[in-house]
Structures are given as C-alpha cells and as structure tokens.
Amino acid sequence: MGKRKWAVITGASSGIGEEFANQLYDMGYSLILTAQTPERLKAVKAGLLKKKRRRPDRDIRVELIAVDIGEAAGMKRLADTIESIIRPSDFTGETNLPAILINSAGFGAVGDFSDIGIEKQEAMVDVNVKGLMYLTYRVLPLMEKAGGGRILNVASSAGLFPGGPHMSVYYATKSFVVSFTNGLRQELREKHSPVRVSALCPGPVNTAFNARANVRNALPGISPQHCVKAAINGMKKDRAVIIPGLSIKAAASGAKLLPTGLLLPMVSNQQKKKI
C-alpha cells in the first residue's frame, strides 16, 4: 500500500469547505473534516461514501471531528486528534502524509460596529484569526517533519482592502489572514521549508455565508465549485494570493491604486446595500 495523503479541512460542513472535501476526495485524499455541527458533517461524509461505493477499490478514509475552533479547548482537541489520526511516527513508513491543510472556517457580520453584539464580534475574531493561526501552528511542524505539505488560508477579497465600513471587524480579520500568510510564506522560503502556504481571496461565493452574516442583498457570486477549482489550481502553481474571477481581480487591483479616502466611501456604499 502506498502512502495515504491526508487533507485537513475546517469549516467542512458547508460552502467552500464542503466543496474542498468533494474535490480533494475525488483527487484521492483521505480527509479529516471539522466543523461545529456533527449532523452536517455526517451528511457530508455520507455524500462522499456514495462516491466510494462507485470506486470500492480506493483506499480513502474520512474522519469527522465536531469542535468549535473559536474556543481554546476546541482548538487544542482538534489539533491533538489530527495528530492521533495522522500519527507522525508513521511518516517514515507506508501510511501517512499530512499533505494539505485548508483553513476554511470563518464567518462575518454586516452592520455598524456598535450595533453588532460584542460577543458575536469576539467570536468572529476567535474563529477567523485565532483558530486559523493555532491550527497552522500545530500542523505546520507535522508537515515539515513529513517532508512537505500545503496550507491554504481562506481569506477574502475583503482582506485586500484597507478597511470595510459596516463589516469592519470581518474585513480586519481577513486582512490579518492575508498579512499572516504573506509573512509566514517568506519565513518558510528563507529557511527552505518544504511547506508552501497561500491565501485564497474570493469575492462573493454562493454559500450559506450570507445568511450567517445577515446580508440581505449580496452581489452576485461565483459557485463554490469554481472557487475551489481555482484555489486548487493556484496551490499547484504555488501562488501567494489566489483570487478567483476576473472582476474581483480587477477590483483588487483598483483598490491598490485608489487613495484610501476615495476607496472607503465606495466600499461603505456597497456594504450599505447589504443591510
């Protein structure tokens, strides 16, 4: 038996995370899927096992871990469980490689900063920033010990803007993800690490994200399938920042050219349409 390649996906119960599970499964990766809702995770696994029945010869495992990565205890339990499944002691054998980490878990909230409950905004920081950072900290050494791997931090096109009025905390968390990824990427390059890290910065994607963010009128989005396909292609090409869609690439390029004093009122007007 050859080495089993593992992909760890957070936020795997829906949206982009679920689509990563589908596409990486089709590519032959065994999966460790995590999210808060065990029922949704079980439904995702059931869909994957239907595919396995069509290809019973494939040696692919799917493991589920239901935790809240916004909580310190949940983050630690997740990382400990990942290590127990992948088993670093087997890296020199025939069974395990921690090949991919997809940090996809995250959520947003639209509205004036003072109108959104502080508990929700603290939770946003915990999931979007602290959970992503902690899991990367725990999985990165495993990948280096195994001789390589890829980390994809799911940010947003919001992370490419200087701010986001009426989604101020969300934009700030995604700016952190982009900045953290770029900084870590350079560190890994300087020490000749076999691990590669990238940030995914999509615009609107047609997922359940808008419902949780309390968005009424979002811009037209791309499909999760298109987003994930572009992300996987970008990882293969080792792109630092992956932006699916020509219109979002153009908007991100324009954001770099416009003065902040002109850009922020434009972003504000767009966000107000969602309230």
Side-chain angles (χ1 to χ4, degrees), residues 18-232:
E18 180 180 1
E19 185 56 31
F20 268 113
N22 275 288
Q23 293 195 29
L24 291 176
Y25 184 92
D26 289 343
M27 293 170 65
Y29 288 89
S30 288
L31 304 175
I32 298 175
L33 308 180
T34 182
Q36 282 186 265
T37 313
E39 294 78 13
R40 278 294 308 149
L41 280 176
K42 291 176 183 177
V44 172
K45 181 175 181 177
L48 296 174
L49 293 182
K50 287 181 181 179
K51 296 183 180 185
K52 185 174 178 61
R53 284 198 288 270
R54 295 194 293 268
R55 290 283 306 276
D57 57 309
R58 302 178 76 193
D59 181 30
I60 299 178
R61 287 173 55 188
V62 179
E63 301 289 342
L64 308 181
I65 309 172
V67 296
D68 181 357
I69 67 166
E71 297 180 351
M75 287 188 283
K76 185 178 186 304
R77 183 161 72 87
L78 172 59
D80 289 346
T81 306
I82 289 170
E83 187 166 335
S84 71
I85 293 171
I86 296 178
R87 297 191 310 273
S89 60
D90 288 344
F91 291 167
T92 57
E94 293 283 324
T95 55
N96 287 301
L97 286 174
I100 297 176
L101 168 62
I102 307 290
N103 281 311
S104 181
F107 72 96
V110 64
D112 289 354
F113 172 73
S114 57
D115 292 338
I116 302 172
I118 189 60
E119 293 83 4
K120 185 170 188 177
Q121 300 196 80
E122 287 178 327
M124 200 188 314
V125 173
D126 287 342
V127 173
N128 297 5
V129 172
K130 293 173 66 176
L132 178 148
M133 180 181 66
Y134 181 85
L135 193 56
T136 300
Y137 185 83
R138 290 289 302 271
V139 173
L140 173 58
L142 300 179
M143 289 182 166
E144 291 187 318
K145 182 177 180 181
R150 294 185 181 274
I151 298 172
L152 183 72
N153 294 325
V154 178
S156 165
S157 58
L160 304 175
F161 286 75
H166 312 294
M167 291 189 80
S168 297
V169 173
Y170 174 75
Y171 270 63
T173 64
K174 294 306 180 179
S175 291
F176 171 90
V177 174
V178 175
S179 177
F180 169 67
T181 301
N182 284 331
L184 178 59
R185 182 181 174 88
Q186 182 60 28
E187 288 182 22
L188 297 177
R189 179 178 295 149
E190 289 176 2
K191 68 177 185 178
H192 306 290
S193 171
V195 179
R196 300 291 180 265
V197 59
S198 302
L200 175 63
C201 295
V205 181
N206 295 325
T207 69
F209 174 90
N210 289 335
R212 188 171 186 186
N214 196 32
V215 171
R216 296 181 181 177
N217 296 299
L219 291 170
I222 62 174
S223 69
Q225 293 81 7
H226 175 75
C227 180
V228 170
K229 184 176 180 179
I232 292 173

Side-chain angles (χ1 to χ4, degrees), residues 203-275:
V205 181
N206 295 325
T207 69
F209 174 90
N210 289 335
R212 188 171 186 186
N214 196 32
V215 171
R216 296 181 181 177
N217 296 299
L219 291 170
I222 62 174
S223 69
Q225 293 81 7
H226 175 75
C227 180
V228 170
K229 184 176 180 179
I232 292 173
N233 184 55
M235 281 195 291
K236 288 179 179 177
K237 295 179 178 179
D238 192 26
R239 291 178 178 161
V241 177
I242 303 164
I243 308 174
L246 293 176
S247 61
I248 296 300
K249 286 180 181 177
S253 297
K256 294 179 181 179
L257 299 175
L258 285 175
T260 300
L262 291 177
L263 182 61
L264 289 183
M266 296 170 62
V267 176
S268 178
N269 288 335
Q270 186 58 54
Q271 299 305 327
K272 286 178 181 177
K273 296 177 183 178
K274 300 178 181 180
I275 300 174

